[in-house]
Amino acid sequence: MARVKLQEINKVYENGFHALHDINLDIDDGEFMVLVGPSGCAKSTMLRMVAGLESVSDGELSIGNTVCNDLAPKDRGIAMVFQNYALYPHMTAYENMAFGLETAKKPKEEIEKRVQEAAELLEITELLSRKPKQMSGGQRQRVALGRAMVRKPDVFLFDEPLSNLDAKLRVSMRMRISKLHQQLKSAGNPATMIYVTHDQVEAMTMGDRVCIMNKGHLMQVDTPMEVYNNPKNKFVAEFIGSPSMNMLFGQLQKRDDSLVFHIGSSDFVLPGDKQTQAALWEDRHVFLGIRPEHLELAEDGETNTLAATITAVEELGSEKFIHTHVYGHDVICKLMNNEKQLKAGDTCLLRLNMDKCHLFDESTEFNIFYNK
Ligand SMILES: Nc1ncnc2c1ncn2[C@@H]1O[C@H](COP(=O)(O)OP(=O)(O)O)[C@@H](O)[C@H]1O
Ligand SMILES: [Mg+2]
């Protein structure tokens, strides 16, 4: 059993800096949890606390059924993989992987068996006699992963393990780690994995659930699709998704019987259910959020449209991104298989798919349509 539970966890560093605020997070046994957020939001702090490398200032941390606040790192059943591999340069890949087990006085045959098994799974059997400097970055990172695996930990902790690799290698290592999680589960030895990254693509593709953090606060914890489709607040909405969700600042106003989002000289009519949910915000300022894929080119005379000046066009083959400037906001529109020739300086008419829009309260930045 390796459920990891953080209850009312706070971290205040010795210099008085309050890095983590009242964190409540319950990670299931065998779950793949991604911690994601901008640099400096205290992801590493949180992971290092689970590892036992950083003390808990307040609150309770448990792994399995054991409260671990004061438990030594070696007694927690965890293994950690870092960004900089931290391999011993004078040891071969085999020796690096075996080292922890030797220190723990495991029998030689057991060590041999575990290293070979891990090497096979990671496809590094041919590299076992090489030293770190004779290997590429991706190979070193696989050895570092193998070194964690041979310890058969209940919990794997990853701190941005792929950020030193080039884009292509990152994709293949990302899939390898996800596959490892699956394989351990199918083999009946599920491992809990906590994976720290600032990369929202890794967060979206790897996690069973994603925990989004900002400035030491927990913003939202849910499945990748939920945080994408049902973001709790403006921060999550803008952090998850690439390019980011577009934001327009305007006011909700009543027109006849309808509630509209008003900006500049444009009105956008909210669909029926959204009108009910937003009724309390009539005459108040709000942010309207809409993803680039929920904008499309429109013809004159259509409703819910916006005239925009194109600032740049990015052609990516099957899709293109139209960057525009509207009422002081940068707005990006994603077009699929669109043949129309557009260029910077042109004007275009954009239609907002209002069924897909979000509204955020001006002061709390909470999503008015958030449902859970
Ligand atoms: N030992 C320390 N003493 C004081 N402040 C620290 C210490 N370690 C980290 N911090 C601060 O805590 C915040 C979170 O750091 P960190 O957990 O490394 O963030 P992340 O991993 O999300 O980039 C940062 O503002 C950082 O400067
Ligand atoms: Mg970090």
Side-chain angles (χ1 to χ4, degrees), residues 13-15 17 19 38-46 54 160 196:
Y13 279 109
E14 266 173 24
N15 64 359
F17 182 72
S39 176
C41 73
K43 305 177 294 293
S44 295
T45 300
M46 196 152 127
E54 218 45 92
E160 313 224 13
V196 163

Side-chain angles (χ1 to χ4, degrees), residues 9-14 17-22 45 49 54-58:
I9 291 277
N10 279 271
K11 176 68 187 180
V12 181
Y13 279 109
E14 266 173 24
F17 182 72
H18 198 156
L20 280 171
H21 302 259
D22 304 325
T45 300
M49 281 169 102
E54 218 45 92
S55 64
V56 176
S57 307
D58 197 21

Side-chain angles (χ1 to χ4, degrees), residues 245-265:
M245 186 185 282
N246 298 299
M247 286 289 162
L248 299 169
F249 186 66
Q251 194 181 31
L252 288 188
Q253 293 179 356
K254 199 83 175 189
R255 296 274 180 276
D256 304 324
D257 280 338
S258 301
L259 202 54
V260 302
F261 174 80
H262 176 79
I263 179 172
S265 55

Side-chain angles (χ1 to χ4, degrees), residues 70-200:
D70 301 314
L71 203 64
K74 66 173 175 45
D75 299 326
R76 296 188 181 203
I78 51 119
M80 195 149 169
V81 182
F82 301 91
Q83 171 181 348
N84 56 10
Y85 328 125
L87 297 177
Y88 295 109
H90 59 284
M91 291 186 192
T92 64
Y94 184 99
E95 288 161 350
N96 264 290
M97 285 165 73
F99 186 69
L101 299 178
E102 280 162 2
T103 318
K105 305 251 182 311
K106 294 274 181 229
K108 211 167 161 50
E109 309 76 63
E110 175 70 18
I111 297 176
E112 167 84 27
K113 182 166 163 272
R114 288 200 197 180
V115 173
Q116 291 298 347
E117 268 173 16
E120 222 161 280
L121 211 59
L122 294 167
E123 297 170 68
I124 50 172
T125 309
E126 296 77 47
L127 307 175
L128 286 176
S129 57
R130 289 201 205 170
K131 293 203 173 144
K133 67 171 188 300
Q134 301 166 310
M135 290 185 276
S136 69
Q139 291 169 335
R140 278 181 222 165
Q141 193 50 290
R142 274 188 274 166
V143 175
L145 187 55
R147 183 180 48 183
M149 279 170 67
V150 295
R151 300 175 53 191
K152 298 194 190 274
D154 296 324
V155 184
F156 283 86
L157 303 176
F158 298 95
D159 195 352
E160 313 224 13
L162 310 185
S163 31
N164 279 347
L165 306 178
D166 66 45
K168 207 170 155 192
L169 251 173
R170 276 218 302 272
V171 175
S172 79
M173 276 302 283
R174 188 167 93 201
M175 293 187 347
R176 193 178 287 278
I177 293 173
S178 298
K179 198 169 134 197
L180 170 67
H181 182 246
Q182 276 308 321
Q183 282 168 327
L184 292 173
K185 192 181 267 180
S186 324
N189 306 308
T192 308
M193 296 194 175
I194 310 180
Y195 187 101
V196 163
T197 180
H198 64 271
D199 178 351
Q200 54 94 22

